[in-house]
């Protein structure tokens, strides 16, 4: 194991702690490999009855992938990032079908790759500190790690809103949108983890002893304008409806979309609509792999990360710069298999 993931046995629990707190536990390729190795070993170990995933520090479980590394690799051709995506998406699929209870503690910031490591688990916990998001369109990418499936299955058009704007969810929102199952106050987590270590019943029974009524979901009050505006068949029409809508939150959403990559907005909408028809997470992951590999070769990913993370000028220059410059043919190309082959999930 590397230094960025801590793995050990704690009674009946296999503990996995993402341990890059200064980087908000952002994922490296080595971390993905280490988490998978632990899960495969424990799947055959009868002494391990449940797996628990947490993040080091108090700021969050995981802020996503190490996007600065992705930026540098994309400029060099992207081979390393394609390998990272392959292993990351395979890990997401393994978590979803894991043969033992998999408890993910989504305390604090849980975004992108952090969602992929947690929201496909069988027991998903949020706290009052949880901030959950699929923020990919902010950096010229498209929701991945199975996020397109999660967003597509959210009530009404909430997932379309979240996927396009990259907006964050509170604990209540995450429960409403199907990204989490239980609300546990952060102060109760040490006792919860101790009880899981001495497991005598099911993990769900243990969690139920600590779970409380979740805070209200702000998104629930916004369903009216969200469902009406985001039901449109094109990003242009969505923006038009948001702009014409009476709610100030709708106009704010339109302003946020104006800051995103036009190409990635159109690809994201297409990906979410296609994901609604998918019969499995694996089908969505294969689609995401195709889209992510195409994004690696597109101008907007490197430019988006540059603007947000490298230079931090918050002034990306997208290409094309307007929605009108992105045609259906260029969007469809994102869904073609990569030249070096599709993602294969066993």
């Amino acid at each position: 194991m590397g230094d960025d993931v801590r793995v050990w046995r704690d009674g009946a629990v296999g503990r996995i702690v993402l341990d890059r707190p200064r980087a908000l536990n952002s994922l490296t390729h080595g971390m993905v490999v280490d988490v998978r190795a632990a899960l495969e070993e424990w799947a055959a170990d009868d002494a391990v009855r449940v797996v628990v995933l947490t993040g080091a520090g108090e700021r969050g479980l995981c802020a996503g992938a190490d996007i600065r590394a992705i930026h540098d690799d994309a400029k060099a051709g992207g081979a390393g990032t394609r390998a990272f995506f392959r292993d990351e998406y395979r890990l997401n699929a393994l978590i979803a079908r894991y043969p033992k209870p998999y408890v993910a503690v989504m305390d604090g910031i849980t975004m992108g790759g952090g969602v992929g490591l947690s929201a496909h688990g069988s027991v998903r916990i949020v706290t009052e500190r949880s901030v959950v998001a699929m923020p990919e369109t902010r950096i010229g990418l498209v929701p991945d790690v199975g996020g397109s499936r999660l967003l597509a299955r959210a009530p009404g058009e909430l997932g379309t809103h979240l996927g396009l704007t990259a907006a964050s969810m509170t604990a209540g929102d995450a429960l409403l949108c199907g990204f989490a199952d239980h609300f546990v106050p952060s102060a109760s987590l040490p006792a919860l983890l101790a009880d899981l270590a001495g497991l005598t019943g099911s993990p769900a029974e243990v969690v139920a002893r600590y779970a409380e009524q979740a805070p209200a979901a702000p998104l629930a009050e916004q369903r009216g304008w969200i469902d009406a505006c985001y039901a449109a068949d094109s990003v242009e029409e969505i923006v038009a409806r948001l702009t014409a809508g009476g709610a100030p939150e709708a106009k704010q959403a339109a302003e946020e979309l104006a800051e995103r990559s036009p190409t990635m907005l159109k690809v994201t909408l297409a990906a979410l609509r296609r994901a609604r028809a998918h019969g499995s997470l694996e089908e969505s992951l294969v689609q995401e792999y195709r889209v992510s590999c195409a994004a690696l070769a597109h101008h907007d990913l490197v430019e988006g990360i540059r603007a947000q993370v490298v230079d931090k000028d918050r002034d990306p220059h997208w290409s094309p710069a307007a929605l009108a410059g992105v045609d259906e043919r260029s969007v469809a190309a994102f869904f073609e298999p990569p030249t070096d082959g599709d993602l294969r999930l066993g």
Side-chain angles (χ1 to χ4, degrees):
M1 291 289 172
D3 295 334
D4 296 332
V5 177
R6 289 187 284 124
V7 172
W8 75 95
R9 279 270 312 281
D10 183 14
V13 173
R15 290 290 308 275
I16 300 175
V17 178
L18 307 178
D19 195 13
R20 296 185 73 204
R22 295 178 63 182
L24 282 172
N25 301 318
S26 59
L27 288 176
T28 65
H29 196 169
M31 292 169 72
V32 168
V33 172
D34 287 349
V35 172
R36 183 181 184 95
L39 291 179
E40 290 179 338
E41 178 182 343
W42 288 336
D45 187 345
D46 292 338
V48 176
R49 297 182 56 194
V50 57
V51 171
V52 175
L53 173 75
T54 58
E58 296 185 351
R59 298 173 64 196
L61 171 64
C62 174
D66 186 337
I67 57 175
R68 184 180 288 268
I70 290 176
H71 169 273
D72 294 344
D73 183 67
K75 291 177 67 175
T81 302
R82 288 193 295 274
F84 169 73
F85 285 151
R86 283 194 296 271
D87 285 341
E88 185 182 26
Y89 300 172
R90 287 167 179 161
L91 176 58
N92 301 147
L94 172 61
I95 290 169
R97 62 172 184 265
Y98 200 63
K100 298 180 179 183
Y102 181 99
V103 180
V105 181
M106 304 164 71
D107 185 31
I109 294 173
T110 305
M111 298 184 178
V115 170
L117 292 185
S118 57
H120 303 304
S122 52
V123 182
R124 307 166 299 172
I125 296 169
V126 285
T127 75
E128 77 283 357
R129 302 187 297 200
S130 294
V131 180
V132 183
M134 295 303 298
E136 287 77 12
T137 59
R138 291 181 185 272
I139 58 168
L141 194 55
V142 175
D144 65 341
V145 297
S148 65
R149 180 169 174 82
L150 292 165
L151 292 167
R153 292 161 67 89
E157 295 293 338
L158 291 180
T160 311
H161 168 66
L162 292 167
L164 291 177
T165 63
S168 297
M169 291 175 271
T170 65
D173 291 331
L175 290 160
L176 170 67
C177 293
F179 281 68
D181 309 299
H182 308 280
F183 173 80
V184 176
S186 58
S188 298
L189 292 178
L192 167 61
L193 295 176
D195 271 7
L196 285 171
L199 189 66
T200 55
S202 72
E205 292 171 342
V206 174
V207 172
R209 293 201 291 268
Y210 295 91
E212 298 184 6
Q213 181 70 34
L219 282 175
E221 300 177 1
Q222 308 296 324
R223 280 288 303 276
W225 67 265
I226 287 176
D227 287 354
C229 294
Y230 288 95
D233 293 329
S234 69
V235 178
E236 288 92 339
E237 178 59 26
I238 288 172
V239 171
R241 293 185 187 185
L242 290 170
T243 303
E249 295 89 349
K251 290 183 171 58
Q252 180 181 345
E255 292 172 1
E256 291 172 354
L257 293 183
E259 298 174 355
R260 307 289 182 257
S261 157
T263 298
M264 298 310 166
L265 286 179
K266 289 198 172 186
V267 174
T268 295
L269 182 62
L272 295 180
R273 295 293 190 253
R274 292 180 182 217
R276 287 180 175 175
H278 291 170
S280 67
L281 171 63
E282 286 81 1
E283 191 173 356
S284 295
L285 288 169
V286 170
Q287 173 177 281
E288 290 172 354
Y289 182 71
R290 294 177 177 183
V291 170
S292 295
C293 287
L296 273 175
H298 193 278
H299 165 274
D300 286 1
L301 176 60
V302 169
E303 173 62 12
I305 298 176
R306 180 207 63 76
Q308 293 294 332
V309 177
V310 180
D311 296 337
K312 299 182 180 179
D313 58 22
R314 307 293 191 270
D315 184 28
H317 297 278
W318 307 121
S319 180
L323 291 169
V326 185
D327 58 30
E328 293 184 6
R329 185 174 179 180
S330 62
V331 172
F334 277 76
F335 297 87
E336 294 298 321
T339 55
D340 58 352
D342 258 337
L343 175 69
R344 303 197 181 280
L345 298 169

